[in-house]
Amino acid sequence: MNKIELCEALNYVTALREKRSKMASIILADPKLVPILISIIKDDINPVSCKASWILEYVANKDLKPILIYINDFITILNSISLESSIRPAAKICELLVLNEFSEKNKICDPKLNNEHLNAITEAAFDWLIGEHKIAPKAYSITILLWLGFKIDWIHPELIPILKQNYEDGSAAYKARARQTLKILKKKSSNKD
């Protein structure tokens, strides 16, 4: 399947789980389609770019290995995604990648992220957290930055004031995630003392 054929197939994808699952199964059966899917996501003006994002997220939820094979392609598009309906799936994929990398209980496959990948995810997560985005990318970003901060020293000191500053104006979901994260960071800080 080439890019044009994949775009045509994506036209028939809807938000229904059944349709997304069917398309994700096609991608999982032929992981060589992942870079084509990523190139469609990057093309923000293409109306199917959001659908490509949904499918890539669905693939990541099923199996991270196809994403990790083409991790460089995925990482390079993070700063070029501007549509909110593409940002949410990208943030979720980043959260899954980071959880796989750092959390023993969430580990699905061997870690594959290098420092360049981690830095790109960090930059994107901070952009999503402080930008004018909906709650889902912000919540995913909080989790991403919490975990990355255990490896990259400067993240937690930057994250804490952002969470505190935006807490009062945040939604209930934002407040819950921020409260939980601040509690973990406070405990981490008191364990150091």
mmCIF file of all heavy atoms in Angstrom, residues 16-41:
data_model
loop_
_atom_site.group_PDB
_atom_site.id
_atom_site.type_symbol
_atom_site.label_atom_id
_atom_site.label_comp_id
_atom_site.label_asym_id
_atom_site.label_seq_id
_atom_site.Cartn_x
_atom_site.Cartn_y
_atom_site.Cartn_z
ATOM 1 N N LEU A 16 -15.278 5.440 15.509
ATOM 2 C CA LEU A 16 -15.748 4.166 16.052
ATOM 3 C C LEU A 16 -14.577 3.210 16.266
ATOM 4 O O LEU A 16 -13.728 3.045 15.384
ATOM 5 C CB LEU A 16 -16.764 3.513 15.108
ATOM 6 C CG LEU A 16 -18.096 4.243 14.929
ATOM 7 C CD1 LEU A 16 -18.927 3.553 13.866
ATOM 8 C CD2 LEU A 16 -18.849 4.292 16.249
ATOM 9 N N ARG A 17 -14.561 2.582 17.411
ATOM 10 C CA ARG A 17 -13.484 1.666 17.774
ATOM 11 C C ARG A 17 -13.301 0.561 16.728
ATOM 12 O O ARG A 17 -12.179 0.190 16.383
ATOM 13 C CB ARG A 17 -13.776 1.060 19.147
ATOM 14 C CG ARG A 17 -12.665 0.204 19.671
ATOM 15 C CD ARG A 17 -13.009 -0.342 21.042
ATOM 16 N NE ARG A 17 -13.384 0.706 21.959
ATOM 17 C CZ ARG A 17 -12.610 1.192 22.915
ATOM 18 N NH1 ARG A 17 -11.413 0.688 23.085
ATOM 19 N NH2 ARG A 17 -13.032 2.149 23.708
ATOM 20 N N GLU A 18 -14.392 0.039 16.212
ATOM 21 C CA GLU A 18 -14.342 -1.043 15.226
ATOM 22 C C GLU A 18 -13.565 -0.623 13.973
ATOM 23 O O GLU A 18 -12.734 -1.373 13.459
ATOM 24 C CB GLU A 18 -15.764 -1.464 14.853
ATOM 25 C CG GLU A 18 -15.843 -2.566 13.831
ATOM 26 C CD GLU A 18 -17.279 -2.860 13.419
ATOM 27 O OE1 GLU A 18 -18.194 -2.717 14.260
ATOM 28 O OE2 GLU A 18 -17.474 -3.223 12.246
ATOM 29 N N LYS A 19 -13.826 0.579 13.493
ATOM 30 C CA LYS A 19 -13.151 1.071 12.281
ATOM 31 C C LYS A 19 -11.663 1.314 12.557
ATOM 32 O O LYS A 19 -10.808 0.973 11.734
ATOM 33 C CB LYS A 19 -13.803 2.362 11.793
ATOM 34 C CG LYS A 19 -15.255 2.237 11.422
ATOM 35 C CD LYS A 19 -15.404 1.975 9.967
ATOM 36 C CE LYS A 19 -16.897 2.021 9.630
ATOM 37 N NZ LYS A 19 -17.136 1.827 8.243
ATOM 38 N N ARG A 20 -11.367 1.916 13.715
ATOM 39 C CA ARG A 20 -9.968 2.165 14.063
ATOM 40 C C ARG A 20 -9.213 0.854 14.261
ATOM 41 O O ARG A 20 -8.078 0.716 13.833
ATOM 42 C CB ARG A 20 -9.866 3.043 15.315
ATOM 43 C CG ARG A 20 -10.287 4.486 15.048
ATOM 44 C CD ARG A 20 -10.145 5.353 16.266
ATOM 45 N NE ARG A 20 -11.132 4.928 17.263
ATOM 46 C CZ ARG A 20 -10.929 4.962 18.576
ATOM 47 N NH1 ARG A 20 -9.792 5.393 19.070
ATOM 48 N NH2 ARG A 20 -11.863 4.574 19.409
ATOM 49 N N SER A 21 -9.874 -0.098 14.898
ATOM 50 C CA SER A 21 -9.251 -1.391 15.149
ATOM 51 C C SER A 21 -8.925 -2.107 13.839
ATOM 52 O O SER A 21 -7.845 -2.696 13.690
ATOM 53 C CB SER A 21 -10.175 -2.254 16.011
ATOM 54 O OG SER A 21 -9.617 -3.521 16.218
ATOM 55 N N LYS A 22 -9.850 -2.056 12.899
ATOM 56 C CA LYS A 22 -9.640 -2.712 11.601
ATOM 57 C C LYS A 22 -8.440 -2.103 10.879
ATOM 58 O O LYS A 22 -7.591 -2.830 10.351
ATOM 59 C CB LYS A 22 -10.912 -2.592 10.760
ATOM 60 C CG LYS A 22 -10.848 -3.354 9.455
ATOM 61 C CD LYS A 22 -12.174 -3.276 8.721
ATOM 62 C CE LYS A 22 -12.090 -4.023 7.394
ATOM 63 N NZ LYS A 22 -13.339 -3.963 6.647
ATOM 64 N N MET A 23 -8.358 -0.780 10.861
ATOM 65 C CA MET A 23 -7.240 -0.119 10.184
ATOM 66 C C MET A 23 -5.927 -0.376 10.929
ATOM 67 O O MET A 23 -4.888 -0.620 10.303
ATOM 68 C CB MET A 23 -7.495 1.388 10.063
ATOM 69 C CG MET A 23 -6.365 2.132 9.370
ATOM 70 S SD MET A 23 -5.945 1.535 7.719
ATOM 71 C CE MET A 23 -7.290 2.160 6.778
ATOM 72 N N ALA A 24 -5.968 -0.369 12.247
ATOM 73 C CA ALA A 24 -4.759 -0.661 13.030
ATOM 74 C C ALA A 24 -4.269 -2.077 12.753
ATOM 75 O O ALA A 24 -3.055 -2.325 12.687
ATOM 76 C CB ALA A 24 -5.030 -0.457 14.514
ATOM 77 N N SER A 25 -5.194 -3.003 12.568
ATOM 78 C CA SER A 25 -4.819 -4.383 12.255
ATOM 79 C C SER A 25 -4.075 -4.467 10.921
ATOM 80 O O SER A 25 -3.128 -5.249 10.772
ATOM 81 C CB SER A 25 -6.056 -5.280 12.203
ATOM 82 O OG SER A 25 -6.651 -5.362 13.467
ATOM 83 N N ILE A 26 -4.486 -3.657 9.977
ATOM 84 C CA ILE A 26 -3.808 -3.606 8.676
ATOM 85 C C ILE A 26 -2.371 -3.116 8.861
ATOM 86 O O ILE A 26 -1.427 -3.674 8.296
ATOM 87 C CB ILE A 26 -4.589 -2.716 7.680
ATOM 88 C CG1 ILE A 26 -5.922 -3.373 7.323
ATOM 89 C CG2 ILE A 26 -3.757 -2.411 6.434
ATOM 90 C CD1 ILE A 26 -6.891 -2.476 6.572
ATOM 91 N N ILE A 27 -2.208 -2.078 9.685
ATOM 92 C CA ILE A 27 -0.876 -1.520 9.939
ATOM 93 C C ILE A 27 -0.015 -2.534 10.697
ATOM 94 O O ILE A 27 1.153 -2.743 10.362
ATOM 95 C CB ILE A 27 -0.967 -0.193 10.731
ATOM 96 C CG1 ILE A 27 -1.836 0.845 9.995
ATOM 97 C CG2 ILE A 27 0.423 0.358 11.043
ATOM 98 C CD1 ILE A 27 -1.340 1.275 8.648
ATOM 99 N N LEU A 28 -0.594 -3.172 11.697
ATOM 100 C CA LEU A 28 0.158 -4.161 12.487
ATOM 101 C C LEU A 28 0.572 -5.361 11.634
ATOM 102 O O LEU A 28 1.633 -5.949 11.857
ATOM 103 C CB LEU A 28 -0.665 -4.613 13.690
ATOM 104 C CG LEU A 28 -0.771 -3.594 14.825
ATOM 105 C CD1 LEU A 28 -1.881 -3.971 15.795
ATOM 106 C CD2 LEU A 28 0.562 -3.452 15.546
ATOM 107 N N ALA A 29 -0.254 -5.704 10.666
ATOM 108 C CA ALA A 29 0.079 -6.818 9.773
ATOM 109 C C ALA A 29 1.210 -6.456 8.807
ATOM 110 O O ALA A 29 1.920 -7.330 8.314
ATOM 111 C CB ALA A 29 -1.161 -7.254 8.992
ATOM 112 N N ASP A 30 1.376 -5.160 8.551
ATOM 113 C CA ASP A 30 2.427 -4.694 7.642
ATOM 114 C C ASP A 30 3.089 -3.447 8.243
ATOM 115 O O ASP A 30 2.788 -2.317 7.843
ATOM 116 C CB ASP A 30 1.834 -4.382 6.268
ATOM 117 C CG ASP A 30 2.891 -4.036 5.233
ATOM 118 O OD1 ASP A 30 4.099 -4.108 5.554
ATOM 119 O OD2 ASP A 30 2.504 -3.693 4.100
ATOM 120 N N PRO A 31 3.992 -3.638 9.224
ATOM 121 C CA PRO A 31 4.617 -2.501 9.911
ATOM 122 C C PRO A 31 5.360 -1.529 9.000
ATOM 123 O O PRO A 31 5.637 -0.406 9.403
ATOM 124 C CB PRO A 31 5.580 -3.161 10.902
ATOM 125 C CG PRO A 31 5.046 -4.527 11.100
ATOM 126 C CD PRO A 31 4.410 -4.920 9.798
ATOM 127 N N LYS A 32 5.644 -1.938 7.762
ATOM 128 C CA LYS A 32 6.298 -1.013 6.826
ATOM 129 C C LYS A 32 5.386 0.164 6.480
ATOM 130 O O LYS A 32 5.832 1.148 5.891
ATOM 131 C CB LYS A 32 6.720 -1.751 5.559
ATOM 132 C CG LYS A 32 7.843 -2.732 5.782
ATOM 133 C CD LYS A 32 8.258 -3.381 4.484
ATOM 134 C CE LYS A 32 9.263 -4.476 4.739
ATOM 135 N NZ LYS A 32 8.749 -5.820 4.530
ATOM 136 N N LEU A 33 4.110 0.066 6.853
ATOM 137 C CA LEU A 33 3.177 1.169 6.629
ATOM 138 C C LEU A 33 3.319 2.266 7.684
ATOM 139 O O LEU A 33 2.822 3.379 7.493
ATOM 140 C CB LEU A 33 1.736 0.643 6.622
ATOM 141 C CG LEU A 33 1.361 -0.283 5.471
ATOM 142 C CD1 LEU A 33 -0.030 -0.855 5.666
ATOM 143 C CD2 LEU A 33 1.477 0.443 4.134
ATOM 144 N N VAL A 34 3.996 1.971 8.794
ATOM 145 C CA VAL A 34 4.126 2.953 9.878
ATOM 146 C C VAL A 34 4.785 4.250 9.407
ATOM 147 O O VAL A 34 4.260 5.339 9.684
ATOM 148 C CB VAL A 34 4.842 2.348 11.108
ATOM 149 C CG1 VAL A 34 5.213 3.417 12.123
ATOM 150 C CG2 VAL A 34 3.952 1.290 11.758
ATOM 151 N N PRO A 35 5.924 4.220 8.680
ATOM 152 C CA PRO A 35 6.493 5.503 8.247
ATOM 153 C C PRO A 35 5.586 6.264 7.284
ATOM 154 O O PRO A 35 5.599 7.501 7.273
ATOM 155 C CB PRO A 35 7.821 5.120 7.584
ATOM 156 C CG PRO A 35 7.801 3.654 7.413
ATOM 157 C CD PRO A 35 6.774 3.089 8.338
ATOM 158 N N ILE A 36 4.797 5.546 6.500
ATOM 159 C CA ILE A 36 3.839 6.223 5.613
ATOM 160 C C ILE A 36 2.769 6.898 6.461
ATOM 161 O O ILE A 36 2.404 8.055 6.214
ATOM 162 C CB ILE A 36 3.212 5.230 4.611
ATOM 163 C CG1 ILE A 36 4.293 4.598 3.726
ATOM 164 C CG2 ILE A 36 2.160 5.924 3.746
ATOM 165 C CD1 ILE A 36 3.809 3.451 2.862
ATOM 166 N N LEU A 37 2.294 6.196 7.468
ATOM 167 C CA LEU A 37 1.299 6.761 8.391
ATOM 168 C C LEU A 37 1.864 8.006 9.073
ATOM 169 O O LEU A 37 1.183 9.035 9.180
ATOM 170 C CB LEU A 37 0.926 5.689 9.423
ATOM 171 C CG LEU A 37 -0.363 5.831 10.188
ATOM 172 C CD1 LEU A 37 -1.565 5.854 9.261
ATOM 173 C CD2 LEU A 37 -0.509 4.686 11.185
ATOM 174 N N ILE A 38 3.106 7.926 9.500
ATOM 175 C CA ILE A 38 3.754 9.073 10.150
ATOM 176 C C ILE A 38 3.872 10.250 9.195
ATOM 177 O O ILE A 38 3.635 11.400 9.579
ATOM 178 C CB ILE A 38 5.130 8.656 10.720
ATOM 179 C CG1 ILE A 38 4.923 7.702 11.909
ATOM 180 C CG2 ILE A 38 5.947 9.865 11.143
ATOM 181 C CD1 ILE A 38 6.188 7.028 12.415
ATOM 182 N N SER A 39 4.190 9.977 7.938
ATOM 183 C CA SER A 39 4.294 11.079 6.960
ATOM 184 C C SER A 39 2.937 11.729 6.715
ATOM 185 O O SER A 39 2.859 12.934 6.464
ATOM 186 C CB SER A 39 4.915 10.593 5.651
ATOM 187 O OG SER A 39 4.022 9.787 4.922
ATOM 188 N N ILE A 40 1.872 10.952 6.809
ATOM 189 C CA ILE A 40 0.520 11.518 6.658
ATOM 190 C C ILE A 40 0.190 12.406 7.867
ATOM 191 O O ILE A 40 -0.391 13.477 7.715
ATOM 192 C CB ILE A 40 -0.531 10.397 6.484
ATOM 193 C CG1 ILE A 40 -0.301 9.650 5.165
ATOM 194 C CG2 ILE A 40 -1.955 10.960 6.544
ATOM 195 C CD1 ILE A 40 -1.089 8.355 5.019
ATOM 196 N N ILE A 41 0.589 11.968 9.050
ATOM 197 C CA ILE A 41 0.359 12.775 10.261
ATOM 198 C C ILE A 41 1.068 14.112 10.140
ATOM 199 O O ILE A 41 0.522 15.150 10.504
ATOM 200 C CB ILE A 41 0.845 12.013 11.519
ATOM 201 C CG1 ILE A 41 0.010 10.759 11.738
ATOM 202 C CG2 ILE A 41 0.802 12.922 12.750
ATOM 203 C CD1 ILE A 41 0.591 9.794 12.758
#
